[in-house]
Amino acid sequence: MNKLNHIAFIMDGNGRWGKKKNKGRNFGHIKGVETVKKIVKSCISLKIPILTFFVFSSENWKRPKTEIVFLFKLIKNYFSKEIDKVINQGIKINILGDITKLSPDLKKILNKSVKLTKKNKMIIVNLAINYGSKDEILSASNKVKGKINIKSFEKNLYTKNMPNPDILIRTGGHQRLSNFMLWQLAYTELFFIKKLWPDFNSVDLKRIIKKFFKTKRNFGAL
Ligand code: IPE
Ligand code: IPE
Ligand code: MG
């Protein structure tokens, strides 16, 4: 049977979900956070060791300032209000992406959350914030000292020391990667779901995992 170490999520469709409910895009982002919490809980009970969530892409700066400000406020509020729960659940928070561009208070709370959850062992939750895969690849190549090979290169990715995702799930109906983990997804099983992220639930997740276990992964061999 396939090993399942790592699931990555492109949680797309929040804005459309909020608009569909006539409550605006940001309402969808609020609901999106609830989905993240539920999915993390399910994955803890399913004993999945690593999750990665695409929270904010390096291209999402092109959105209206009001939405960007709202999104960052949502992340900040979550960690300031719920960090104790995160610690108690045994979640280890890890950030992928260039957070130097974020506001000082958000940076501070993210760094603090990483530090406070450092020793947690139940599950690793990677949050990709201001993450762009092309940037990650370029900066990793520039950071390698001496000869560049797969090993020395991968040591300079945000995902260093981590297995690559076994499953990628993108909700929201689009079949594209939007500059997400281009290197790490080389052999990942890809699942594109029509449902918008706020509607995604653990039944959907379990269905995908079941399919994954039935899939024969070849990695080029027979
Ligand atoms: C994904 O949902 C979440 C973020 C990019 C932060 P979107 O905001 O892209 O929602 P849609 O795709 O516009 O519906
Ligand atoms: C991808 O969604 C980014 C995140 C989920 C954070 P987008 O909504 O930004 O992707 P595109 O622009 O439709 O490709
Ligand atoms: Mg989108």
Side-chain angles (χ1 to χ4, degrees), residues 58-110:
S58 51
E59 286 74 32
N60 286 146
W61 294 103
K62 294 176 192 164
R63 295 190 177 199
K65 179 119 192 270
T66 47
E67 182 166 336
I68 297 173
V69 168
F70 187 87
L71 278 167
F72 289 152
K73 210 164 114 190
L74 206 58
I75 304 169
K76 201 180 105 192
N77 284 347
Y78 173 71
F79 281 108
S80 44
K81 289 195 185 124
E82 307 208 23
I83 187 64
D84 289 340
K85 276 191 205 157
V86 176
I87 297 170
N88 290 335
Q89 283 177 289
I91 300 169
K92 178 179 167 142
I93 299 290
N94 202 15
I95 309 292
L96 319 182
D98 179 11
I99 64 164
T100 59
K101 305 255 155 50
L102 306 181
S103 71
D105 48 343
L106 180 56
K107 244 188 307 195
K108 201 168 144 193
I109 202 147
L110 288 175

Side-chain angles (χ1 to χ4, degrees), residues 147-199:
K147 196 170 154 44
I148 188 161
N149 54 39
I150 290 183
K151 219 172 152 190
S152 65
F153 172 78
E154 285 185 337
K155 266 193 206 144
N156 288 286
L157 294 172
Y158 291 118
T159 48
K160 59 174 175 283
N161 305 325
M162 249 181 247
N164 290 323
D166 302 294
I167 295 177
L168 170 83
I169 300 172
R170 181 175 186 141
T171 57
H174 298 307
Q175 303 199 11
R176 57 184 179 236
L177 296 178
S178 305
N179 199 15
F180 185 58
M181 299 185 102
L182 303 178
W183 176 276
Q184 294 89 337
L185 296 177
Y187 265 108
T188 303
E189 303 297 324
L190 310 177
F191 294 87
F192 297 99
I193 309 300
K194 281 215 178 80
K195 265 194 184 179
L196 306 173
W197 178 252
D199 289 327

Side-chain angles (χ1 to χ4, degrees), residues 10-12 54-57 60 63 170 174 176 178:
I10 301 179
M11 28 186 198
D12 198 22
F54 201 6
V55 177
F56 190 87
S57 80
N60 286 146
R63 295 190 177 199
R170 181 175 186 141
H174 298 307
R176 57 184 179 236
S178 305

Side-chain angles (χ1 to χ4, degrees), residues 7-18:
I7 307 181
F9 297 90
I10 301 179
M11 28 186 198
D12 198 22
N14 290 349
R16 277 168 282 163
W17 189 91

